[in-house]
Amino acid sequence: MISVVEALDALFALVHPLDIEEVPLDHAAGRVLARDVAAQRTQPPFAASAMDGYAVHGAAVAPGAQFHVIGEAAAGHGFDGAIANEQAVRIFTGAPLPQGADRVVIQEDVARDGDVITLRDDLDGNAYVRPAGADFLAGDLLGAPRRLTPADIALLAAMNIARVPVTRRPVVAIVATGDELVQPGETPGPDQIIASNNHGLAALLRAHGADVRLLPIARDTHASLALAFDLARGADLIVTIGGASVGDHDLVAAAAGARGMERAFYKVAMRPGKPLMAGRVDGAAMVGLPGNPVSAMVCGHVFLLPLIAAMSGLAARPAPRRSAILTHDLTANGPREHYMRAVCEGDSVTVFDRQDSALLSVLSQANCLAVRPVGDPARQAGDRIAVIAI
């Protein structure tokens, strides 16, 4: 068996960032920016008012000073002209400052009589002007790689970027295997169960940027598995679920081997998830996950999501961890790294008593995995341990 760290290193060696494509701005959210993008304009492109009020010469501002209002400026409709020392332009938020103005006196600090304004005694000292380029300048860069957030999309729009260079979505083919499985909505036989891992993993990977092809269930025959691999052709990553162990009905390794699989490793010192297999087959990276529902989903968080991120052009690194304070005691851990379903609330973490790898109901209640290193000693309430958000 190899360690989780060694398994991740081997997986990262199987993949590389995918090609770059350009997509419309409205389709770029959640995608990974593939190269730096330069702003096509300055924002704001002119000095603009930050409040409703009156644009004036700042040097002429004083309690009791009077100005003659000579016009109006609104967003999208600037004042066409310049102002002298004792003149003012009625201005609204976002409007460009008239030539000669460098301050906005807010309307609350003004008494107006016809076209004459008088400044009140308790003047607000702020200029209320947004200088040209206060946000960004033409040529400023939004750096890559980064997964684009809604705020990034707003920034790209303001930069006048209509098409965005992003890394192509990884195409992932998911194959659940086993005679015991039927699809949700079907009626299982007396010895069958509903396939759940493939649907859970598909949802997880789609939520993190993959283009998922959910293939039909492969039966425990060489012919059915061969057909599944045929259907997976063209994928960047093939994920099989179940059949990766050493039992008489665990045929995935043999089926992959028949197609010339270059195996990277088999078995990882972790729980749940020990019977994990990886390599390359038919030009694609392949990961063979265990069949237990929780094992497959945990491996999805620990291995598949970092792999998808690396293929999308982000840094090749493990799932992010933070520390949290245990709310109760834990017994010592054994010879495999343990990923325990738990709930984090603020800075505290509570680990579920039941950790059987078949219990999806427990996984559904969890929002993190508490990570116990190999040989981790008994822990007490108040100790800090590492957690991975899920």
Side-chain angles (χ1 to χ4, degrees):
M1 287 190 294
I2 63 174
S3 69
V4 170
V5 171
E6 291 170 327
L8 275 169
D9 287 342
L11 285 170
F12 290 141
L14 296 174
V15 300
H16 54 80
L18 299 175
D19 299 333
I20 298 174
E21 62 185 11
E22 285 196 350
V23 299
L25 177 65
D26 286 345
H27 294 171
R31 303 293 295 273
V32 174
L33 187 67
R35 59 173 178 261
D36 296 350
V37 175
Q40 301 300 298
R41 68 195 307 270
T42 293
Q43 179 69 10
F46 42 74
S49 177
M51 297 286 282
D52 293 347
Y54 294 85
V56 297
H57 279 288
V61 172
Q66 291 188 327
F67 298 85
H68 182 68
V69 180
I70 61 171
E72 183 177 288
H77 302 280
F79 176 76
D80 185 16
I83 61 171
N85 279 344
E86 295 180 356
Q87 293 178 328
V89 166
R90 176 70 165 127
I91 197 165
F92 298 92
T93 303
L97 256 68
Q99 183 180 346
D102 59 5
R103 178 168 175 176
V104 173
V105 178
I106 59 175
Q107 59 192 17
E108 291 84 355
D109 287 349
V110 170
R112 182 167 179 170
D113 183 8
D115 288 336
V116 176
I117 60 171
T118 303
L119 306 190
R120 300 187 187 279
D121 290 339
D122 52 346
L123 285 171
D124 187 324
N126 292 317
Y128 292 111
V129 174
R130 295 174 179 142
D135 196 359
F136 55 83
L137 301 174
D140 282 355
L141 299 178
L142 180 64
R146 64 195 295 143
R147 195 173 295 280
L148 293 169
T149 66
D152 292 329
I153 298 301
L155 177 57
L156 287 166
M159 288 178 161
N160 202 23
I161 305 297
R163 294 187 65 82
V164 185
V166 296
T167 307
R168 178 173 64 80
R169 291 185 188 275
V171 177
V172 183
I174 298 180
V175 184
T177 72
D179 288 343
E180 75 279 13
L181 300 177
V182 299
Q183 293 285 14
E186 297 179 353
T187 301
D191 301 319
Q192 291 183 307
I193 59 174
I194 308 297
S196 58
N197 305 347
N198 50 347
H199 297 281
L201 286 169
L204 178 66
L205 300 185
R206 284 178 180 134
H208 288 80
D211 181 2
V212 175
R213 291 161 49 188
L214 199 54
L215 301 185
I217 295 169
R219 300 305 169 189
D220 290 327
T221 67
H222 291 287
S224 183
L225 287 165
L227 176 60
F229 279 109
D230 284 341
L231 294 174
R233 282 189 180 276
D236 302 299
L237 173 64
I238 301 170
V239 177
T240 62
I241 308 168
S245 191
V246 293
D248 292 342
H249 299 281
D250 295 322
L251 305 178
V252 171
R259 304 179 80 92
M261 177 184 180
E262 305 165 25
R263 184 183 291 185
F265 64 83
Y266 172 57
K267 290 187 180 180
V268 180
M270 66 180 293
R271 52 190 288 230
K274 174 183 170 183
L276 189 77
M277 175 178 61
R280 291 194 65 83
V281 63
D282 291 338
M286 176 187 160
V287 180
L289 300 181
N292 277 334
V294 174
S295 301
M297 292 298 291
V298 167
C299 288
H301 285 281
V302 175
F303 297 114
L304 297 185
L305 292 189
L307 203 56
I308 293 299
M311 297 170 77
S312 301
L314 298 174
R317 59 190 179 196
R321 300 182 181 188
R322 69 176 182 90
S323 69
I325 300 171
L326 269 173
T327 62
H328 56 95
D329 297 346
L330 289 176
T331 59
N333 190 36
R336 288 186 285 160
E337 196 165 39
H338 197 179
Y339 293 80
M340 309 179 75
R341 283 151 286 173
V343 172
C344 282
E345 295 180 341
D347 199 33
S348 298
V349 58
T350 302
V351 178
F352 288 105
D353 291 332
R354 300 194 301 162
Q355 293 292 325
D356 188 300
S357 60
L359 303 179
L360 279 173
S361 58
V362 178
L363 181 65
S364 178
Q365 298 173 59
N367 63 8
C368 68
L369 298 172
V371 184
R372 305 291 305 282
V374 172
D376 193 37
R379 298 300 195 101
Q380 295 181 329
D383 287 351
R384 282 193 171 272
I385 62 171
V387 297
I388 296 173
I390 61 172

